[in-house]
C-alpha cells in the first residue's frame, strides 16, 4: 500500500548470501519478515502477486557488470519500481569446519562467480586445492560445515550461521569490488527527492528510425542530465530489436528531468519508469551538479517567463 512501510521482504536466496547481508542493512527488513527466493524472477513475482511488499535483487557488480536477468525482469510483466539501492562491498572469507593450514587444503567449494573474483588469490595461496562449483555462497558454507570439502569461499554472514572457522579474511582479487542491489516494490509515488538521486528507465526505440538512440541521448544532454549508465538488452521479439536500460542523475519531481521524460515519451516506442531514489554512496561525495542555466531553479524561472509571455504580462 502506498505510504505504508514494507514489512514482508523477498530476496534472492538462499539464506547466508550477500543478498541477505545487503537486505539486513535496511532497518525495516532487519525487523521484518524475510523470505528467500530461488531466483530473481521468483523474488520479483512475490512482489507482483502481493506475497511480499518488496524484493531485494542484485542489479550489477563492479567486476562482473550487469545482472541480465534482473534487467530483463524489470521490463517484462506488470510494472515494478525501484525504491532504494544498496551497495555492499564484496569481501569473501575462506572458512572451514575447523582450523586448518592453507597448505593442507585440497578442495574448496565456491560459487562460480566467487571463484572468478578470487581466482588469483586462490592460485597464490592454495595452489594445490581444486575449486568445486556449488550453487551458491550459502551452499559452499553448508558443504564445508558438513565436511564435504576442506574449505569454502563464502560470505561472512555464512560463518556464524554454520559454525565455521575463518582461515582467511577479505579474500578477493580486487579489494574494491562492490555489488549493487535494488529494492523493488509495486508502483507508487516515489520517495521524495534528496538532492542526490538516481532515476532508472527502460526505453524501447523504433529500430527503423535513423538516429533514434542519438535522439534519446539528446533529450537528456540538452537538459544537463548526467547519464550514468546505459545497457542494451534484446527484446526477445525479433533479431535486432533492443530496449535500453538508462540511469541518470536526478529525480522525476525535478522540472528538468520531467521535461526530459516528456521528450522521451514523444520519441520512443515505449518508456518504462523504473523509479527515482536516493543514491547510496559508500564514501561521502558531492552530488553531480547541472551545468549553468540548467538547474531546476533555471527551469522554473524559464517556465514562469513563458507563462508571462502567454498571458501578456
Amino acid at each position: 500500500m502506498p505510504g505504508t512501510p514494507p514489512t514482508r521482504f523477498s530476496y534472492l536466496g538462499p539464506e547466508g548470501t550477500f543478498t541477505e547481508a545487503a537486505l539486513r542493512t535496511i532497518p525495516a527488513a532487519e525487523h521484518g519478515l524475510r523470505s528467500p527466493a530461488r531466483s530473481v524472477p521468483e523474488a520479483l513475482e512475490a512482489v507482483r502477486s502481493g506475497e511480499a511488499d518488496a524484493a531485494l535483487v542484485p542489479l550489477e557488480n563492479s567486476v562482473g557488470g550487469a545482472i541480465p536477468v534482473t534487467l530483463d525482469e524489470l521490463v517484462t510483466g506488470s510494472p515494478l519500481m525501484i525504491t532504494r539501492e544498496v551497495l555492499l562491498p564484496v569481501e569473501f572469507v575462506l572458512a572451514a569446519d575447523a582450523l586448518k593450514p592453507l597448505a593442507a587444503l585440497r578442495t574448496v567449494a565456491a560459487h562460480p562467480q566467487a571463484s572468478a573474483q578470487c581466482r588469483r588469490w586462490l592460485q597464490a595461496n592454495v595452489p594445490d586445492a581444486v575449486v568445486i562449483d556449488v550453487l551458491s555462497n550459502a551452499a559452499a558454507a553448508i558443504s564445508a560445515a558438513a565436511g564435504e570439502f576442506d574449505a569454502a569461499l563464502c560470505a561472512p554472514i555464512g560463518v556464524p550461521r554454520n559454525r565455521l572457522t575463518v582461515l582467511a579474511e577479505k579474500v578477493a582479487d580486487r579489494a574494491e569490488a562492490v555489488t549493487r542491489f535494488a529494492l523493488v516494490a509495486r508502483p507508487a509515488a516515489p520517495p521524495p527527492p534528496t538532492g542526490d538521486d538516481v532515476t532508472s528507465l527502460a526505453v524501447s526505440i523504433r529500430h527503423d528510425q535513423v538516429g533514434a538512440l542519438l535522439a534519446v541521448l539528446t533529450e537528456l544532454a540538452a537538459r544537463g542530465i548526467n547519464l550514468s549508465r546505459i545497457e542494451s538488452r534484446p527484446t526477445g521479439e525479433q533479431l535486432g530489436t533492443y530496449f535500453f536500460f538508462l540511469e541518470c542523475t536526478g529525480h522525476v519531481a525535478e522540472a528538468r528531468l520531467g521535461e526530459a521524460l516528456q521528450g522521451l515519451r514523444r520519441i520512443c516506442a515505449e518508456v518504462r519508469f523504473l523509479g527515482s531514489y536516493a543514491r547510496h554512496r559508500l564514501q561521502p561525495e558531492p552530488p553531480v551538479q547541472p551545468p549553468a542555466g540548467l538547474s531546476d531553479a533555471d527551469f522554473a524561472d524559464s517556465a514562469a517567463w513563458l507563462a508571462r509571455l502567454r498571458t501578456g504580462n
Side-chain angles (χ1 to χ4, degrees):
M1 294 175 60
T4 302
T7 58
R8 301 170 302 154
F9 297 84
S10 177
Y11 66 94
L12 176 63
E15 295 179 346
T17 61
F18 285 106
T19 308
E20 185 192 4
L23 180 62
R24 297 187 69 163
T25 67
I26 302 173
E30 175 65 15
H31 298 98
L33 177 64
R34 301 181 299 274
S35 302
R38 291 171 295 181
S39 65
V40 168
E42 184 178 289
L44 296 180
E45 185 56 35
V47 177
R48 289 189 171 109
S49 68
E51 295 177 17
D53 302 318
L56 192 78
V57 291
L59 198 58
E60 64 175 319
N61 178 269
S62 60
V63 177
I67 311 298
V69 65
T70 301
L71 301 187
D72 293 345
E73 284 296 315
L74 287 175
V75 298
T76 58
S78 57
L80 294 169
M81 193 174 79
I82 300 172
T83 62
R84 182 172 185 156
E85 69 174 10
V86 177
L87 302 186
L88 187 74
V90 178
E91 294 181 346
F92 295 96
V93 296
L94 185 68
D97 57 350
L99 188 63
K100 304 172 183 178
L102 296 185
L105 302 181
R106 293 295 177 265
T107 56
V108 174
H111 185 275
Q113 288 186 354
S115 57
Q117 293 185 45
C118 304
R119 179 176 55 84
R120 289 195 297 271
W121 189 96
L122 291 169
Q123 289 176 346
N125 294 275
V126 286
D128 296 328
V130 176
V131 178
I132 309 297
D133 288 348
V134 294
L135 293 177
S136 67
N137 295 314
I142 292 170
S143 63
E148 297 175 17
F149 303 103
D150 294 338
L153 272 180
C154 62
I157 192 175
V159 172
R161 183 164 292 172
N162 295 282
R163 299 180 179 180
L164 295 173
T165 298
V166 175
L167 307 181
E169 293 183 306
K170 298 184 178 180
V171 176
D173 292 342
R174 298 186 183 183
E176 70 280 4
V178 173
T179 295
R180 179 174 173 233
F181 299 86
L183 186 67
V184 180
R186 291 180 293 280
T194 66
D196 189 12
D197 301 290
V198 180
T199 291
S200 296
L201 308 165
V203 304
S204 175
I205 63 175
R206 297 178 176 90
H207 66 281
D208 58 348
Q209 179 182 333
V210 176
L213 180 57
L214 177 60
V216 168
L217 302 180
T218 300
E219 290 291 335
L220 302 175
R223 293 170 177 87
I225 297 170
N226 181 49
L227 181 65
S228 56
R229 183 180 176 200
I230 180 170
E231 298 269 354
S232 64
R233 294 292 302 156
T235 63
E237 296 173 357
Q238 65 183 54
L239 189 65
T241 60
Y242 301 87
F243 69 81
F244 292 88
F245 182 81
L246 308 177
E247 287 191 342
C248 52
T249 299
H251 193 283
V252 67
E254 297 172 356
R256 64 196 182 106
L257 187 54
E259 275 197 15
L261 290 178
Q262 291 180 67
L264 294 177
R265 170 76 175 178
R266 290 192 298 268
I267 66 173
C268 292
E270 182 183 358
V271 178
R272 180 171 284 204
F273 174 70
L274 298 177
S276 290
Y277 46 92
R279 186 183 299 278
H280 182 191
R281 296 187 185 275
L282 294 176
Q283 300 293 334
E285 293 179 45
V288 177
Q289 298 298 326
L294 293 173
S295 69
D296 225 41
D298 294 322
F299 273 83
D301 178 71
S302 61
W305 172 76
L306 180 60
R308 292 194 299 270
L309 294 181
R310 286 173 170 170
T311 56
N313 294 324

